[in-house]
Amino acid sequence: MKKFLLLLHEDIEKMSSLSPLEMEELGNAHFAWANKLAESGHLISGDGLHEDGVLIAGKHSVVKDGPYLESKEVIGGYYLLQATNLNIIVEIAKECPCHLWGGTTEIRPVMDMEEYGQ
Amino acid sequence: MGNKPHNIFESSYRLFYGKLFSALVSQFGLGYVNQIEDAIQNAFLKSLRIWKSNQMPDNKENWLYIVARNDVINQIQKATKVTSESIIATVDENETVESDLRLQTILLFSSSTRISTQTKVVFILKNIFGLSVREIADSTLLSQDAIYKSIKRAKKNLQLEFANQPIVAFPGKATQKEVSIVEEILYAVFNIGFDSFDEKIQSIVNDDLCLEALSLVRLLFEKYKYNSTRNLLALFCFHIARIPAKVNNGKLVSFFRQDKTQWDKKLIDLAFYYLQKPSQLNKFYIEALIVSKYMTANLYDAEHWNDIVKLYRLLVNIHNSPIVKLNLCYALHKAQREDEASELMNKIEKELPDKHVYFSLVKADILRKMDSKQSEKIMETVLDQIDQTIRKEYLLEKGFINF
């Protein structure tokens, strides 16, 4: 089994203009989707992320507040998934409710020693 | 998204929105209405990111309330640089959102002398019933732009008028005029729920809005006992009784083809219990009477339609809206009084926006025999305008309007 990190890039503007009903439906869709992945054994973990964070850069370790306020997109959450190959994860990610409101999903395969031979 | 196998959020966010809004306004006052709106929106977004099957608050509404309340406090602190103690001193930390202040809030807003009824309707649809601007535009004859402006104006004026007015108890008295505005608002909400054009919602009926409107109207009637409220309750019950028969196998069923055995008999009985002739005619009484005629008629013959025409004429005298006239027009057509129907249709056309869907459907139906080509052309334009699959299928199959 290989591991994959699924990052959910959300469109901040769209997300904050959702109506209560739309948010409720989105919440239910995420829940149903995560449940399905848990049942099929693809889900390892997943969480939502705070919009504000901290950036530390340079050799002097300059600490700054998260850059997210100026950007149109923010990583709103992640899922850690597992499958035998990337194609399966692509099919799974296509159904991620994140896409319903202008979001983008990014799949990053987790590097594994085994891929590089003995 | 349409089907919800795991409905973890189960209770309605729309309902939560109105309760949270009313509770927070009663705590912080209307001066902070913008902060309150943002705080509720943020609390909902947070719940989307945090709630999971193994990570769920026992009392979701209260969780949202506390998150939103703390958000309002933070916003006030940031803006005014006031220390937290002075704000928190006025906020009860153990407060919960158990008391439902929605109707009191609606009554307060209804009593405003500074804003129009339409503005009140729009503002309350947004903040008490939790509809977005787009959802309100989809369900009314207003543009999103006009709605934004309306809401902005409403906020400004309500703040000026009620800045320090607490929303706590029911006012002991409410005039017929104030109650009428509340009825109008709840009726508008009900109609939006009963006949949803929202493309995101594939089902035609939004039960939650209908039932919330019903429960608030019942409360309004219990408090103030006006006849108009009583007949509005009757009207709601007649309509809700038909919901089980309105959609069958994912398809919309026209009124005349519904399986009447599926109608809720108890609700119909309740509707007749509430239906009561007033000393002075009001529009809800006549509307409820019209629906009761439809629902109890054995035969939809000329006699039936002529009765309906009479009632709609009475209604037009009280409430002269283009939609009521359109209903009258349709009834005239069904009563085979084509000349009167055509004449009225031409008048209404000038009062409605271009390509108004319901108008186009009635026009297509009336023209079907006289000018079948033009009738088909109108139907094609209507189909282009409608995104909702269930409604499209219905129109294609029946080529007929929905009652």
Side-chain angles (χ1 to χ4, degrees):
Chain A
M1 279 289 197
K2 291 177 177 139
K3 288 180 185 168
F4 300 87
L5 184 65
L6 189 70
L7 296 169
L8 313 186
H9 298 261
E10 290 172 350
D11 181 325
I12 304 172
E13 215 172 283
K14 274 211 178 129
M15 289 294 288
S16 44
S17 71
L18 292 188
S19 74
L21 183 71
E22 287 161 348
M23 279 200 258
E24 182 177 355
E25 287 178 339
L26 184 60
N28 284 324
H30 266 292
F31 181 76
W33 186 72
N35 245 25
K36 202 171 116 190
L37 294 187
E39 277 164 24
S40 64
H42 293 294
L43 180 70
I44 299 173
S45 66
D47 281 299
L49 298 173
H50 273 287
E51 278 178 26
D52 41 4
V54 170
L55 284 184
I56 304 172
K59 71 175 175 193
H60 298 297
S61 300
V62 179
V63 177
K64 281 191 210 160
D65 284 343
Y68 315 118
L69 288 178
E70 294 109 57
S71 79
K72 196 175 163 284
E73 276 190 355
V74 66
I75 297 179
Y78 74 91
Y79 286 97
L80 187 60
L81 305 173
Q82 59 182 5
T84 48
N85 62 62
L86 176 66
N87 291 342
I88 296 174
I89 298 295
V90 170
E91 289 311 308
I92 287 174
K94 278 184 187 169
E95 288 175 21
C96 178
C98 168
H99 302 130
L100 292 170
W101 296 101
T104 308
T105 44
E106 177 185 354
I107 304 169
R108 304 294 299 264
V110 174
M111 287 180 93
D112 186 344
M113 199 65 188
E114 280 175 26
E115 287 173 54
Y116 301 93
Q118 295 300 316
Chain B
M1 261 187 59
N3 52 357
K4 300 173 190 169
H6 304 284
N7 210 342
I8 125 174
F9 292 73
E10 75 205 4
S11 18
S12 165
Y13 265 34
R14 280 183 173 163
L15 172 62
F16 286 167
Y17 194 102
K19 288 172 86 174
L20 294 177
F21 181 83
S22 307
L24 292 169
V25 165
S26 89
Q27 266 223 325
F28 294 98
L30 272 164
Y32 292 110
V33 67
N34 289 322
Q35 288 86 342
I36 289 169
E37 285 177 339
D38 287 348
I40 301 174
Q41 188 79 359
N42 287 337
F44 283 169
L45 279 173
K46 284 198 177 89
S47 76
L48 285 188
R49 299 213 169 109
I50 296 173
W51 293 1
K52 283 186 276 189
S53 55
N54 57 352
Q55 201 174 309
M56 180 65 59
D58 294 335
N59 182 339
K60 294 175 198 136
E61 192 176 342
N62 224 37
W63 186 93
L64 290 166
Y65 173 69
I66 290 164
V67 172
R69 187 197 59 194
N70 291 344
D71 191 327
V72 176
I73 294 174
N74 281 339
Q75 290 185 61
I76 299 172
Q77 281 173 351
K78 268 191 198 158
T80 55
K81 305 221 164 27
V82 178
T83 53
S84 54
E85 290 79 26
S86 60
I87 301 168
I88 290 169
T90 62
V91 173
D92 179 1
E93 273 294 299
N94 299 316
E95 173 112 6
T96 63
V97 70
E98 261 151 42
S99 53
D100 179 358
L101 298 170
R102 286 176 300 159
L103 191 59
Q104 290 93 315
T105 312
I106 295 175
L107 270 162
L108 178 71
F109 294 163
S110 301
S111 71
S112 165
T113 52
R114 298 179 77 109
I115 54 175
S116 69
T117 303
Q118 182 180 296
T119 306
K120 287 173 191 171
V121 171
V122 167
F123 187 74
I124 287 169
L125 276 172
K126 178 164 182 304
N127 282 322
I128 303 295
F129 288 92
L131 296 186
S132 69
V133 169
R134 189 184 49 74
E135 286 166 342
I136 299 172
D138 282 349
S139 328
T140 56
L141 299 174
L142 305 167
S143 71
Q144 292 201 29
D145 232 22
I147 295 166
Y148 272 117
K149 280 183 195 150
S150 244
I151 289 172
K152 214 173 150 192
R153 200 163 43 234
K155 271 188 216 165
K156 208 172 131 197
N157 282 301
L158 289 171
Q159 280 173 350
L160 285 171
E161 197 168 355
F162 303 121
N164 299 311
Q165 181 107 5
I167 300 165
V168 274
F170 275 105
K173 277 186 188 165
T175 63
Q176 169 79 61
K177 200 180 164 209
E178 282 161 6
V179 168
S180 296
I181 295 167
V182 178
E183 289 166 354
E184 269 317 313
I185 290 160
L186 296 174
Y187 188 40
V189 172
F190 182 89
N191 284 330
I192 289 165
F194 194 68
D195 218 357
S196 168
F197 273 88
D198 194 334
E199 61 184 283
K200 291 267 173 212
I201 303 162
Q202 287 302 322
S203 76
I204 277 291
V205 184
N206 236 325
D207 310 35
D208 63 334
L209 280 185
C210 294
L211 296 175
E212 278 318 312
L214 176 72
S215 76
L216 290 176
V217 167
R218 188 150 49 190
L219 191 55
L220 186 69
F221 178 62
E222 280 165 12
K223 288 284 168 198
Y224 303 112
K225 309 260 185 228
Y226 281 102
N227 173 279
S228 53
T229 319
R230 188 185 174 113
N231 282 303
L232 183 58
L233 263 179
L235 184 58
F236 282 6
C237 290
F238 278 128
H239 284 318
I240 294 174
R242 299 198 312 277
I243 290 180
K246 216 179 163 192
V247 179
N248 186 19
N249 285 331
K251 297 212 161 131
L252 185 60
V253 186
S254 83
F255 174 83
F256 299 103
R257 289 167 197 240
Q258 283 173 12
D259 174 2
K260 294 185 178 182
T261 60
Q262 286 184 11
W263 289 354
D264 189 323
K265 181 85 181 38
K266 277 188 190 154
L267 272 171
I268 296 175
D269 289 345
L270 195 60
F272 276 112
Y273 165 76
Y274 284 124
L275 184 69
Q276 191 183 66
K277 193 176 178 185
S279 49
Q280 195 188 352
L281 286 183
N282 62 59
K283 78 169 192 172
F284 297 127
Y285 170 68
I286 301 172
E287 285 195 35
L289 209 54
I290 291 172
V291 179
S292 77
K293 284 239 180 257
Y294 272 114
M295 288 177 73
T296 50
N298 291 317
L299 208 58
Y300 299 104
D301 54 6
E303 193 189 331
H304 164 79
W305 287 108
N306 279 320
D307 281 349
I308 298 287
V309 166
K310 273 182 211 152
L311 289 170
Y312 271 123
R313 287 215 190 279
L314 284 177
L315 191 55
V316 169
N317 288 336
I318 298 176
H319 183 62
N320 188 14
S321 94
I323 300 297
V324 174
K325 281 190 267 186
L326 200 50
N327 285 328
L328 170 59
C329 182
Y330 184 69
L332 283 166
H333 162 63
K334 295 302 278 186
Q336 289 169 355
R337 291 155 71 172
E338 302 294 349
D339 291 345
E340 287 169 81
S342 298
E343 193 189 328
L344 185 57
M345 187 173 74
N346 292 333
K347 274 187 200 157
I348 304 166
E349 192 155 23
K350 290 168 202 134
E351 295 175 31
L352 284 167
D354 268 357
K355 293 188 183 168
H356 185 266
V357 171
Y358 182 37
F359 177 80
S360 305
L361 289 171
V362 173
K363 188 170 178 180
D365 207 50
I366 290 178
L367 288 179
R368 185 163 300 163
K369 277 187 202 146
M370 295 185 250
D371 186 348
S372 61
K373 271 201 178 148
Q374 207 201 334
S375 170
E376 275 171 35
K377 217 170 149 187
I378 297 172
M379 283 304 285
E380 276 169 28
T381 348
V382 171
L383 284 168
D384 280 346
Q385 276 173 268
I386 296 180
D387 297 324
Q388 209 180 24
T389 320
I390 182 173
R391 219 173 266 275
K392 233 176 199 171
E393 281 174 0
Y394 171 83
L395 290 175
L396 282 171
E397 267 179 32
K398 308 285 189 315
F400 188 65
I401 73 159
N402 173 30
F403 168 67

